[in-house]
């Protein structure tokens, strides 16, 4: 087994946080890895130093979500502008489970540690643009605005995990 070593200087703008287990997490690295999922259009990985897991908010990729819905016979009647995803589809627990399963496969393939894996996610259908203030013009996540915007979903995920 090889060990990846990340050296950081004060000039690196990578946010890193520590979970209550003492493990350090680089969320941008995880977002890059998880973005390989066909289901992911946007992803925000969040961790709390008082919790033992990371969680994420995912904006599904409309094409993959639509194909999934057709394959499962899920009716989608609420029209939204492209590339947003209908709220009824985002609320579908089976789609959420399919996305978590796909992210788990990616995590295993990338040899992520257990504490870097996502036990649960929340889906949001609104694609993030610089106009809404959640990402930069270069579409990089703005961590504090995202954490504030999704604070109730983050709290719900940790409650679901019993944390």
């Amino acid at each position: 087994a090889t060990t990846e070593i990340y050296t950081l200087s004060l000039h690196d703008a990578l946010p890193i946080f520590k979970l209550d287990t003492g493990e350090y997490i680089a969320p941008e690295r995880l977002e890059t890895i998880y973005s390989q999922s066909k289901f992911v259009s946007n992803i925000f990985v969040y961790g709390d130093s008082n919790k033992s897991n990371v969680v994420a908010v995912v904006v599904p990729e409309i094409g993959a979500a639509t194909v999934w819905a057709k394959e499962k016979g899920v009716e989608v009647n609420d029209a939204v502008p492209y590339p947003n995803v209908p709220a009824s589809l985002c609320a579908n627990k089976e789609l959420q489970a399919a996305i978590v399963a796909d992210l788990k496969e990616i995590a295993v393939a990338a040899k992520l540690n257990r504490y870097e894996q996502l036990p649960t996610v929340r889906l949001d259908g609104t694609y993030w643009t610089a106009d809404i203030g959640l990402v930069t013009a270069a579409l990089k996540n703005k961590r504090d605005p995202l954490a504030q915007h999704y604070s109730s979903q983050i709290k719900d995920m940790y409650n679901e995990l019993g944390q």
Side-chain angles (χ1 to χ4, degrees):
T2 60
T3 303
E4 290 181 83
I5 297 176
Y6 293 91
T7 56
L8 295 174
S9 72
L10 292 175
H11 302 291
D12 291 320
L14 289 177
I16 291 186
F17 53 83
K18 186 159 75 166
L19 297 175
D20 73 354
T21 55
E23 304 293 351
Y24 285 92
I25 301 289
E28 286 183 7
R29 174 179 163 265
L30 297 181
E31 290 161 355
T32 300
I33 292 167
Y34 287 126
S35 290
Q36 296 172 43
S37 169
K38 66 183 178 188
F39 286 112
V40 173
S41 191
N42 302 116
I43 186 166
F44 170 58
V45 173
Y46 180 86
D48 183 315
S49 61
N50 297 313
K51 313 289 184 196
S52 55
N53 290 94
V54 289
V55 294
V57 174
V58 172
V59 176
E61 199 286 315
I62 185 61
T66 304
V67 167
W68 178 90
K70 282 184 183 150
E71 287 174 354
K72 299 295 181 188
V74 174
E75 289 279 325
V76 181
N77 296 323
D78 40 346
V80 294
Y82 180 86
N84 296 325
V85 178
S88 63
L89 200 47
C90 289
N92 186 297
K93 293 294 181 195
E94 286 181 60
L95 176 60
Q96 182 178 326
I99 291 174
V100 169
D102 193 57
L103 294 173
K104 174 123 180 108
E105 283 181 28
I106 287 169
V108 169
K111 296 181 173 51
L112 295 182
N113 292 303
R114 184 206 56 77
Y115 57 84
E116 294 174 306
Q117 296 179 19
L118 296 166
T120 188
V121 300
R122 285 296 179 271
L123 307 181
D124 181 18
T126 305
Y127 182 80
W128 304 335
T129 63
D131 297 343
I132 59 174
L134 299 178
V135 292
T136 66
L139 301 181
K140 294 241 184 233
N141 285 354
K142 289 184 173 182
R143 308 208 77 74
D144 289 341
L146 282 162
Q148 289 174 342
H149 185 78
Y150 292 110
S151 62
S152 66
Q153 291 91 332
I154 290 167
K155 186 176 180 204
D156 288 347
M157 285 186 277
Y158 280 123
N159 286 339
E160 177 184 316
L161 294 171
Q163 296 182 34

